[in-house]
Each structure stands twice: as C-alpha cells, then as structure tokens.
C-alpha cells in the first residue's frame, strides 16, 4: 500500500476542506478506492492504483484554486478533477479575489493606468481624492505579487497624524497605540486574505504594518512597500522613506492633496516629492480624479462641492506665508523685550 502526504501551503485549510469537511468528503466519494485523511494542513492518502498521481494532481490544482480565489465550490472541484475550465477562470483582468471570491480589478481608465504602471515602474505615486481606490488597489497589487512569489513580503506604512483632532494619550502597548492610524490598511488586507492566514503571515512578518517613524535605518528588499496618506508626511519623512528602497522592491506612494492634516505652516512632503521626482525614469505618477471614485455616489458629489468651495476662497496656507507690504507694520520683540516697528 502506498501512502502519500500532501501539505497545503499558503492557504487556509478550513477553506480547502469546506464547511463540515464537505470538500474533503467529496474527494473521498470521487476516489472511493483511497483512504483520504486530513489533519491541520496535511492530507494523507493511502491506497494502491494508477489513480494516485491523478488525486495528487487534483489536490494540488484545488490548492492553487484556493490560493488564487480564496474560495472553492463543489462545482469548481468537479471542473478541476475533470480538467475543465472553472467559471472563475473566465473572468479577465482580475488582480486578485477577495475572501468571498469576488474579483478585484480596475474599474476606471486611471485605475488601469495604476495597474499597468505597477508592471513597468519600480516606484509609483498615486494621487487623487478620497474614494478613488488608491490604497485598496495598491494593496491588491501587493497581495498578487506575494501570491505569485515575485515578492517575499509586504510592508505597509502611513504617518501617525490625526485628522484635525488631538487624541492625547492612548492606552496599551506600542501596537495598541498605532493600530487606530493603521486600521484602513487592516481593513483592505482582511478583505483579501482569510483571517487565519492573514494572522499567520503577520506573525511571520511576511506582512508588516508599521508607522512611518519606525522606517529609519531599514533597507526594504524583496518587498512591495506602500506608503499611505503620504500627503501628511514632511519633506524629511518622505525623503527618508523613499531612500529605504532595496533590491527587487517596488514602492507605491498614495495621497490626497485635498486632505492635508499637517500644521498650516508646514509643507506636504508628497507635494514637494512630486515636483522633484516626477521626471525620473522608473518613477510613474498616476493622477486619479472624481471620475475614478468607486464609493457611494454621494462621495463624488461631496468631492466636487468641496473642490468648488476651495477654488472660490484664498488658500489659508498661502495667506499665512504672505510677506507684509511696506505700508503694513511689523512688530518685532528682541531678546531684551524691546518692541520695534
């Protein structure tokens, strides 16, 4: 009697086995001459006969299907064993599939430019208003690279800047303190990677989420590195971040220039970086706009309304930086407390 062991790598075994082991029971019914047992992520097959290679190939193809689509159905299993194309394979231009098996792909011309730029450029700036899919699409591209093994890890970062509020002291350890700032990144990851698999990847540091302040001194190689909310970086911060890039790495920097939460007298590092780096070969700049918004239809109306309002009033940052005219008095207090005009 021959005994084979198959290890289910890179997937959540619970998805592979199905609810109440229904997929495993289906395999047993399709190959009744073999004993098929499973424990954790290891499948044991016992039996004799020429179909041993067939069942091994079928299980491997099922594993690859789960790895790609995060799901598998009884119909998919039958198609795989019969050598037919599954329904999911018929969907074109898909980046990855979410945990429910829904395809994730670009939904506008500018989003497709971001996808295309990922293939040809090592550093990409994706700039646009809220809801244009900058972060979500970037993380999808990173997850795809990880699944295809073109990258060994994903590193996600963003500056810890409050949106107009001062939260003060936050309880807990360092992870507890920074998690509120990084929650949007967790949300996207949880939509694309099953929870058990995601936790395992984070425990093994295959997926790393860190605030920007912890990046100094690192060299980020063999990785997809994403800096989110980059409009809230200072010039020094973004310069430090961009120079962390190592071999066989790609960087995606996302930001919305209409939502800068820095102090009014501080210039956005992203805005300056775009002015300095946009003409360098190997760097792509993708501008997304209101036509690319994929959230609720009201988000587009809100963005348009605020854009119109911003254009109708002077820039408060420019007003603060304006130099006084000759007719205006300037009050100066020197070290001795003497006031001069």
């Amino acid at each position: 009697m021959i005994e084979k062991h198959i290890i289910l790598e890179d997937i959540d075994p619970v998805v592979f086995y199905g609810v109440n082991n229904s997929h495993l029971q289906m395999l047993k019914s399709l190959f009744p001459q073999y004993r098929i047992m499973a424990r954790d992520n290891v499948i044991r097959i016992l039996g004799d006969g020429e179909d041993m290679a067939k069942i091994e190939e079928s299980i491997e193809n099922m594993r690859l299907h789960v790895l790609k689509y995060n799901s598998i159905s009884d119909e998919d299993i039958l198609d795989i064993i019969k050598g037919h194309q599954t329904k999911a394979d018929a969907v074109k231009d898909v980046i990855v599939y979410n945990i429910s098996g829904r395809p994730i792909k670009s939904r506008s011309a500018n989003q497709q430019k971001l996808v295309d730029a990922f293939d040809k450029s090592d550093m990409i700036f994706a700039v646009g208003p809220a809801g244009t899919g900058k972060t979500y699409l970037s993380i999808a591209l990173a997850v795809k690279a990880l699944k295809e093994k073109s990258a060994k890890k994903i590193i996600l970062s963003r500056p810890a800047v409050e949106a107009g509020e001062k939260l003060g002291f936050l309880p807990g350890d360092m992870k507890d303190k920074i998690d509120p700032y990084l929650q949007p990144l967790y949300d996207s990851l949880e939509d694309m990677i099953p929870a058990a698999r995601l936790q395992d990847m984070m425990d093994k540091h295959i997926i790393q989420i860190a605030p920007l302040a912890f990046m100094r001194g690192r060299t980020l190689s063999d990785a997809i590195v994403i800096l989110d909310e980059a409009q809230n970086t200072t010039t020094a911060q973004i310069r430090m971040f961009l120079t962390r890039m190592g071999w066989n790495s790609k960087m995606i920097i996302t930001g919305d220039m209409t939502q800068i939460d820095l102090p009014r007298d501080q210039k956005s590092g992203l805005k300056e970086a775009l002015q300095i780096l946009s003409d360098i070969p190997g760097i792509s700049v993708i501008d997304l706009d209101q036509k690319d918004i994929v959230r609720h239809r009201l988000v587009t109306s809100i963005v348009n309304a605020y854009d119109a309002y911003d254009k109708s009033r002077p820039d408060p940052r420019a007003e603060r930086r304006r130099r006084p005219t000759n007719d205006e008095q300037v009050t100066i207090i020197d070290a001795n407390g003497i006031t001069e005009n």
Side-chain angles (χ1 to χ4, degrees):
M1 181 175 289
I2 301 173
E3 180 174 340
K4 293 281 187 179
H5 288 196
I6 300 175
I7 301 175
L8 302 176
E9 296 180 317
D10 303 328
I11 65 169
D12 184 354
V14 174
V15 177
F16 184 94
Y17 298 144
V19 179
N20 296 323
N21 290 331
S22 60
H23 298 156
L24 200 62
Q25 297 301 326
M26 186 174 184
L27 268 178
K28 291 179 180 180
S29 66
L30 292 170
F31 297 93
Q33 69 273 37
Y34 294 94
R35 290 184 61 195
I36 303 174
M37 297 162 285
R39 184 171 184 177
D40 296 329
N41 68 331
V42 180
I43 297 177
R44 293 175 58 209
I45 308 170
L46 289 86
D48 295 310
E50 58 185 17
D51 284 340
M52 180 63 81
K54 172 69 173 177
I55 190 172
E56 284 186 271
E57 180 184 4
S58 297
I59 290 175
E60 173 60 14
N61 287 335
M62 288 172 60
R63 184 192 71 83
L64 292 174
H65 189 281
V66 173
L67 178 64
K68 183 174 182 179
Y69 303 114
N70 288 318
S71 65
I72 192 167
S73 66
D74 291 348
E75 186 177 359
D76 291 329
I77 295 172
L78 286 174
D79 287 337
I80 288 169
I81 292 175
K82 293 177 181 178
H84 297 164
Q85 182 188 53
T86 63
K87 287 184 178 179
D89 287 329
V91 181
K92 303 296 184 183
D93 302 322
V94 176
I95 302 171
V96 291
Y97 289 77
N98 74 354
I99 57 174
S100 302
R102 179 178 61 83
I104 298 172
K105 57 182 182 177
S106 62
R107 297 173 61 181
S108 70
N110 287 330
Q111 286 189 359
Q112 186 58 45
K113 287 180 182 179
L114 174 56
V115 175
D116 295 338
F118 186 79
D119 293 329
K120 68 179 183 180
S121 301
D122 289 336
M123 184 176 291
I124 305 157
F125 289 87
V127 184
T132 51
K134 304 180 298 295
T135 302
Y136 192 77
L137 207 60
S138 298
I139 291 179
L141 290 166
V143 171
K144 178 185 179 182
L146 198 63
K147 289 188 174 187
E148 294 177 348
K149 301 190 183 300
S150 58
K152 293 181 180 178
K153 55 183 178 279
I154 298 173
I155 300 172
L156 308 173
S157 183
R158 63 187 298 176
V161 177
E162 295 103 336
E165 297 182 68
K166 298 297 182 183
L167 300 180
F169 174 77
L170 294 176
D173 58 18
M174 182 59 70
K175 183 177 184 301
D176 294 328
K177 293 176 189 297
I178 65 175
D179 272 357
Y181 300 101
L182 305 176
Q183 191 58 48
L185 305 180
Y186 288 118
D187 292 342
S188 296
L189 286 170
E190 288 168 356
D191 191 44
M192 300 178 201
I193 302 174
R197 178 63 184 152
L198 176 59
Q199 187 59 53
D200 181 61
M201 296 171 85
M202 295 182 71
D203 291 342
K204 293 176 178 177
H205 301 290
I206 296 172
I207 295 179
Q208 304 172 26
I209 303 181
L212 186 58
F214 293 171
M215 286 294 179
R216 186 173 294 281
R218 298 187 66 181
T219 300
L220 309 176
S221 301
D222 299 309
I224 307 299
V225 189
I226 298 174
L227 175 60
D228 192 33
E229 299 289 342
Q231 77 275 3
N232 288 326
T233 59
T234 64
T235 298
Q237 284 177 327
I238 200 165
R239 182 174 181 176
M240 176 274 294
F241 176 83
L242 296 178
T243 54
R244 301 305 95 203
M245 193 173 191
W247 294 107
N248 191 37
S249 288
K250 287 179 180 284
M251 279 189 170
I252 306 178
I253 300 93
T254 71
D256 177 1
M257 300 310 299
T258 67
Q259 297 193 21
I260 299 175
D261 300 312
L262 294 169
R264 289 185 179 274
D265 58 349
Q266 200 163 33
K267 188 175 182 179
S268 168
L270 175 60
K271 185 175 183 179
E272 195 165 63
L274 290 171
Q275 294 170 349
I276 296 170
L277 306 176
S278 59
D279 294 330
I280 295 179
I283 296 179
S284 293
V285 178
I286 308 300
D287 291 311
L288 298 108
D289 54 34
Q290 290 84 346
K291 297 189 296 293
D292 303 302
I293 293 176
V294 291
R295 288 182 184 165
H296 192 285
R297 60 179 178 80
L298 284 177
V299 175
T300 302
S301 300
I302 291 169
V303 169
N304 288 334
Y306 271 99
D307 281 348
Y309 175 73
D310 289 340
K311 291 175 182 177
S312 68
R313 66 191 184 101
D315 183 359
R317 291 174 183 264
E319 183 65 24
R320 288 174 66 92
R321 292 193 295 268
R322 184 177 64 84
R323 293 185 177 183
T325 65
N326 293 332
D327 296 332
E328 294 175 325
Q329 289 187 332
V330 180
T331 301
I332 302 174
I333 301 177
D334 64 16
N336 297 318
I338 300 173
T339 301
E340 299 178 2
N341 288 328

Short mmCIF file of all heavy atoms in Angstrom, two decimals, residues 253-275:
data_model
loop_
_atom_site.label_atom_id
_atom_site.label_comp_id
_atom_site.label_asym_id
_atom_site.label_seq_id
_atom_site.Cartn_x
_atom_site.Cartn_y
_atom_site.Cartn_z
N ILE A 253 3.26 55.01 -3.45
CA ILE A 253 3.02 56.10 -2.51
C ILE A 253 1.67 56.72 -2.88
O ILE A 253 1.48 57.18 -4.01
CB ILE A 253 4.14 57.16 -2.58
CG1 ILE A 253 5.49 56.54 -2.23
CG2 ILE A 253 3.84 58.32 -1.65
CD1 ILE A 253 6.28 56.03 -3.41
N THR A 254 0.74 56.72 -1.94
CA THR A 254 -0.60 57.24 -2.22
C THR A 254 -0.88 58.47 -1.38
O THR A 254 -0.34 58.62 -0.28
CB THR A 254 -1.68 56.18 -1.93
OG1 THR A 254 -1.80 55.98 -0.52
CG2 THR A 254 -1.35 54.86 -2.60
N GLY A 255 -1.72 59.34 -1.89
CA GLY A 255 -2.07 60.52 -1.12
C GLY A 255 -3.17 61.34 -1.76
O GLY A 255 -3.46 61.20 -2.95
N ASP A 256 -3.78 62.18 -0.95
CA ASP A 256 -4.86 63.06 -1.39
C ASP A 256 -4.47 64.48 -0.98
O ASP A 256 -4.50 64.83 0.21
CB ASP A 256 -6.17 62.64 -0.72
CG ASP A 256 -7.34 63.55 -1.06
OD1 ASP A 256 -7.14 64.51 -1.83
OD2 ASP A 256 -8.44 63.31 -0.55
N MET A 257 -4.12 65.31 -1.95
CA MET A 257 -3.63 66.65 -1.66
C MET A 257 -4.71 67.57 -1.11
O MET A 257 -4.40 68.67 -0.64
CB MET A 257 -3.01 67.27 -2.92
CG MET A 257 -1.85 66.49 -3.50
SD MET A 257 -0.57 66.04 -2.31
CE MET A 257 -0.05 67.65 -1.75
N THR A 258 -5.97 67.15 -1.12
CA THR A 258 -7.04 67.98 -0.56
C THR A 258 -7.29 67.67 0.91
O THR A 258 -8.15 68.30 1.53
CB THR A 258 -8.35 67.79 -1.34
OG1 THR A 258 -8.84 66.45 -1.12
CG2 THR A 258 -8.15 68.03 -2.82
N GLN A 259 -6.58 66.68 1.47
CA GLN A 259 -6.80 66.30 2.86
C GLN A 259 -5.48 66.28 3.63
O GLN A 259 -5.09 65.25 4.18
CB GLN A 259 -7.51 64.94 2.93
CG GLN A 259 -8.89 64.95 2.32
CD GLN A 259 -9.71 63.72 2.67
OE1 GLN A 259 -9.46 63.03 3.64
NE2 GLN A 259 -10.73 63.45 1.86
N ILE A 260 -4.80 67.41 3.64
CA ILE A 260 -3.55 67.54 4.37
C ILE A 260 -3.85 67.92 5.82
O ILE A 260 -4.52 68.92 6.08
CB ILE A 260 -2.64 68.60 3.72
CG1 ILE A 260 -2.31 68.19 2.27
CG2 ILE A 260 -1.36 68.80 4.53
CD1 ILE A 260 -1.53 69.23 1.49
N ASP A 261 -3.38 67.11 6.77
CA ASP A 261 -3.65 67.33 8.19
C ASP A 261 -2.45 67.90 8.94
O ASP A 261 -2.45 67.95 10.17
CB ASP A 261 -4.10 66.02 8.84
CG ASP A 261 -5.36 65.46 8.19
OD1 ASP A 261 -6.31 66.24 8.01
OD2 ASP A 261 -5.39 64.26 7.86
N LEU A 262 -1.41 68.29 8.20
CA LEU A 262 -0.23 68.89 8.82
C LEU A 262 -0.55 70.29 9.33
O LEU A 262 -1.54 70.90 8.88
CB LEU A 262 0.92 68.97 7.81
CG LEU A 262 1.49 67.63 7.31
CD1 LEU A 262 2.42 67.88 6.13
CD2 LEU A 262 2.23 66.91 8.43
N PRO A 263 0.25 70.83 10.25
CA PRO A 263 0.07 72.24 10.65
C PRO A 263 0.10 73.15 9.42
O PRO A 263 0.78 72.86 8.44
CB PRO A 263 1.28 72.48 11.56
CG PRO A 263 1.63 71.13 12.11
CD PRO A 263 1.34 70.16 11.00
N ARG A 264 -0.62 74.23 9.47
CA ARG A 264 -0.81 75.07 8.30
C ARG A 264 0.49 75.65 7.75
O ARG A 264 0.59 75.95 6.57
CB ARG A 264 -1.77 76.22 8.63
CG ARG A 264 -3.21 75.77 8.80
CD ARG A 264 -4.11 76.97 9.00
NE ARG A 264 -5.52 76.56 9.14
CZ ARG A 264 -6.34 76.34 8.13
NH1 ARG A 264 -5.89 76.49 6.90
NH2 ARG A 264 -7.59 75.99 8.33
N ASP A 265 1.50 75.81 8.62
CA ASP A 265 2.75 76.40 8.15
C ASP A 265 3.75 75.35 7.68
O ASP A 265 4.91 75.66 7.43
CB ASP A 265 3.39 77.25 9.26
CG ASP A 265 3.65 76.45 10.53
OD1 ASP A 265 3.16 75.30 10.61
OD2 ASP A 265 4.34 76.97 11.42
N GLN A 266 3.31 74.10 7.56
CA GLN A 266 4.22 73.02 7.17
C GLN A 266 3.83 72.49 5.78
O GLN A 266 2.66 72.19 5.52
CB GLN A 266 4.15 71.88 8.19
CG GLN A 266 5.36 70.96 8.16
CD GLN A 266 5.44 70.14 9.44
OE1 GLN A 266 4.43 69.77 10.03
NE2 GLN A 266 6.64 69.84 9.88
N LYS A 267 4.81 72.40 4.90
CA LYS A 267 4.55 71.96 3.53
C LYS A 267 4.47 70.44 3.45
O LYS A 267 5.22 69.73 4.11
CB LYS A 267 5.66 72.47 2.60
CG LYS A 267 5.39 72.22 1.13
CD LYS A 267 6.46 72.86 0.26
CE LYS A 267 6.16 72.65 -1.22
NZ LYS A 267 7.17 73.29 -2.09
N SER A 268 3.57 69.94 2.62
CA SER A 268 3.43 68.49 2.44
C SER A 268 4.64 67.92 1.72
O SER A 268 5.04 68.41 0.65
CB SER A 268 2.16 68.18 1.65
OG SER A 268 2.15 66.82 1.23
N GLY A 269 5.24 66.88 2.30
CA GLY A 269 6.38 66.24 1.66
C GLY A 269 6.02 65.59 0.34
O GLY A 269 6.83 65.53 -0.59
N LEU A 270 4.76 65.11 0.22
CA LEU A 270 4.32 64.49 -1.03
C LEU A 270 4.30 65.52 -2.16
O LEU A 270 4.75 65.24 -3.27
CB LEU A 270 2.94 63.86 -0.85
CG LEU A 270 2.29 63.29 -2.10
CD1 LEU A 270 3.15 62.18 -2.70
CD2 LEU A 270 0.88 62.79 -1.82
N LYS A 271 3.76 66.69 -1.87
CA LYS A 271 3.69 67.74 -2.89
C LYS A 271 5.07 68.10 -3.40
O LYS A 271 5.30 68.24 -4.61
CB LYS A 271 3.00 68.97 -2.30
CG LYS A 271 2.75 70.08 -3.30
CD LYS A 271 1.95 71.20 -2.66
CE LYS A 271 1.64 72.29 -3.68
NZ LYS A 271 0.84 73.40 -3.06
N GLU A 272 6.03 68.20 -2.49
CA GLU A 272 7.39 68.53 -2.89
C GLU A 272 8.04 67.39 -3.65
O GLU A 272 8.75 67.61 -4.64
CB GLU A 272 8.21 68.88 -1.64
CG GLU A 272 9.52 69.58 -1.94
CD GLU A 272 10.10 70.21 -0.69
OE1 GLU A 272 10.41 69.47 0.25
OE2 GLU A 272 10.23 71.45 -0.67
N ALA A 273 7.80 66.15 -3.22
CA ALA A 273 8.39 65.00 -3.90
C ALA A 273 7.90 64.90 -5.34
O ALA A 273 8.68 64.56 -6.24
CB ALA A 273 8.04 63.71 -3.14
N LEU A 274 6.63 65.19 -5.57
CA LEU A 274 6.09 65.15 -6.93
C LEU A 274 6.78 66.18 -7.83
O LEU A 274 7.02 65.93 -9.01
CB LEU A 274 4.59 65.38 -6.91
CG LEU A 274 3.74 64.25 -6.31
CD1 LEU A 274 2.30 64.69 -6.14
CD2 LEU A 274 3.83 62.99 -7.15
N GLN A 275 7.10 67.34 -7.27
CA GLN A 275 7.78 68.37 -8.04
C GLN A 275 9.22 67.97 -8.38
O GLN A 275 9.72 68.26 -9.46
CB GLN A 275 7.78 69.68 -7.25
CG GLN A 275 6.39 70.27 -7.04
CD GLN A 275 6.41 71.43 -6.05
OE1 GLN A 275 7.39 71.68 -5.37
NE2 GLN A 275 5.29 72.15 -5.98
#
